[in-house]
Amino acid sequence: VKQGEFVKRRYLYNIEDTKKSSGRLIPIPHWKLHHDWPPEAGLRHLVFYEKTNGAHVWIKRVGRRILIDEDKFFDWVKDNNVT
C-alpha cells in the first residue's frame, strides 16, 4: 500500500483521487478526511431524520453503505441556511 492509500474491508481507497474529483460520493466514516464540519455524529443525525429535514437529496445508499453527495450536501446547506 502506497502513501495516501489505506485498505478497509478488502476495498482499496486512494484518498488523493477522491480529493481531485468533483461531485464525489463520500462514505460517512471518511467525511472527516475531507471536511471538518459537520462531524460524523452530526451527519448520522441528519441521515436518521432525512425524511423530515430534506437530507434525502444528498444521501445515496449502496447496500448498507451510506454515501454523501458532496456537492448536493453543500447546496442543501446553502438552501436551508443550516449552521
Side-chain angles (χ1 to χ4, degrees):
V1 177
K2 298 176 187 174
Q3 184 179 6
E5 296 179 342
F6 60 96
V7 178
K8 185 174 181 179
R9 294 186 182 168
R10 293 181 280 173
Y11 298 104
L12 181 67
Y13 299 96
N14 189 329
I15 297 170
E16 302 306 319
D17 288 344
T18 59
K19 287 182 182 176
K20 293 176 188 172
S21 65
S22 62
R24 62 185 164 188
L25 298 174
I26 304 173
I28 290 179
H30 300 170
W31 183 262
K32 62 185 169 264
L33 300 174
H34 305 284
H35 303 285
D36 294 332
W37 180 88
E40 185 176 339
L43 274 176
R44 291 189 187 282
H45 175 83
L46 292 172
V47 169
F48 186 80
Y49 291 104
E50 71 179 298
K51 292 181 180 166
T52 57
N53 63 16
H56 65 278
V57 173
W58 47 265
I59 295 170
K60 307 295 180 202
R61 295 179 192 274
V62 180
R64 293 183 63 193
R65 296 203 83 170
I66 299 173
L67 306 173
I68 307 303
D69 186 317
E70 184 180 35
D71 291 341
K72 289 182 181 179
F73 172 77
F74 287 111
D75 289 342
W76 178 82
V77 169
K78 288 177 191 171
D79 293 343
N80 290 291
N81 196 18
V82 177
T83 54

